[in-house]
Amino acid sequence: MTEQTQIRPFKLNIPQAALDDLAARLDATRWPDENPIPGWTQGVPLAYLKELAAYWRTGYDWRAHEAELNRFPQFITTIDGTDVHFLHIRSPEPDAMPLLITHGWPGSIIEFLDVIGPLTDPRSHGADPADAFDLVIPSIPGYGLSGPTPDAGWDVHRVALAWAELMRRLGYHRYGAQGGDWGHAITLELAAVACEQVTAIHLNTLLTLPPDDPAAAAELTPDDWARLNRMLQAEPEMSGYAKIQSTRPQTLAYALTDSPIGQLAWIVEKFMEWTDSTRAPEDAVSRDRMLTNVMLYWLTSTAGSSARHYWEAAHPSRVTPTSRPATPTGVAVFAADIARPVRRLAEKAHNIVHWSEFPRGGHFAAMEQPGLFTIDVRAFFRRFR
């Protein structure tokens, strides 16, 4: 390998000065007035965020979570001019299947910490060792420990090409892929650009839209329409973040990169709206997991570069999308996810061979319901080993 294509070991070690700076900024927060309408209707409530910020300042232990991350083998390699950070956990089982897992926004590799053990070493978790995986879990360029991207053009297609190159460098010539949120779009694209290598894909996000064809619309059941309408009704209220990130990500970046409270609120709002929670995000995800996820954005100053992913999607450089292959596709639907797909519509666009519905869990499936996520991933890929 050349110096540019080398795979370099990585260990997370944030300078104490960065943690001291965070503490000082939290202490100096300039708070807004309280919203006169109670609850989350207009965003994160002041009282809730103050209490969460106090815990972040005095109760949360970054070094403990840094050490937890460092228990897993981490690496960095340069692909197409940008650094790509990734976890690479080999199974103790000799016939483990390689599996690439991709996060989305505002997620990170933190989403998958609770499924790494069960997926790589099922024997030690009371499951069949034949279901073992070698896991590759990268940080999308522009996100977290991959750091800001140095140039424009990092859209879904370019990330998929980078993933194909990453797996080639690791010596994996046949592998599965899994993803949710942006990870689902990247996974679909990876199956198209590396169709000879990608055996099958598993998704916990899949967007289906109401059909334009009246005949196709007539085939939909009341439950199908209930799913579609839930997404369509929620979209105007919940899409403000996407409109800003797809039009003015640089302006947003100044606020989020300078203010940890701003970064915290921007992400926590989504954990409230997208998870299986009713009173607070902690109904679905622990505070420490959520704060560690926020820390990866804050400590790496990637609020802006991750937001640019939306700008790239809204300003595509390619006129025609990559054609979709007939890659076997599994879908796991979690009940609290707002954008629950309709199977009969999904089957018109994808080679659906596996479909699971779960009564609990939301958008951050591996984080909220690691047990259900693990069971479904094992069950789907079992036939492709």
Side-chain angles (χ1 to χ4, degrees), residues 137-271:
I137 309 176
S139 299
I140 298 172
Y143 289 68
L145 296 172
S146 284
T149 43
D151 60 349
W154 279 98
D155 59 4
V156 164
H157 178 73
R158 191 171 174 186
V159 176
L161 292 175
W163 278 192
E165 172 61 15
L166 174 61
M167 296 302 275
R168 188 194 66 78
R169 289 185 190 180
L170 293 173
Y172 294 129
H173 304 294
R174 294 287 287 170
Y175 50 89
Q178 198 285 329
D181 194 86
W182 278 118
H184 110 276
I186 294 166
T187 298
L188 284 169
E189 191 72 0
L190 177 63
V193 301
C195 57
E196 297 298 320
Q197 288 74 45
V198 178
T199 307
I201 59 175
H202 181 277
L203 310 171
N204 59 279
T205 303
L206 186 61
L207 299 179
T208 54
L209 299 175
D212 295 328
D213 177 25
E219 295 177 357
L220 300 181
T221 68
D223 179 67
D224 294 338
W225 279 111
R227 292 185 179 213
L228 294 172
N229 289 330
R230 182 187 184 202
M231 179 185 66
L232 294 174
Q233 291 165 8
E235 195 273 340
E237 279 288 318
M238 295 188 180
S239 63
Y241 79 97
K243 288 182 171 63
I244 292 174
Q245 294 190 162
S246 62
T247 57
R248 298 295 184 270
Q250 187 65 24
T251 302
L252 175 67
Y254 298 116
L256 302 191
T257 306
D258 187 61
S259 169
I261 292 298
Q263 180 70 91
L264 178 66
W266 195 247
I267 290 178
V268 164
E269 180 188 277
K270 298 306 147 201
F271 273 81

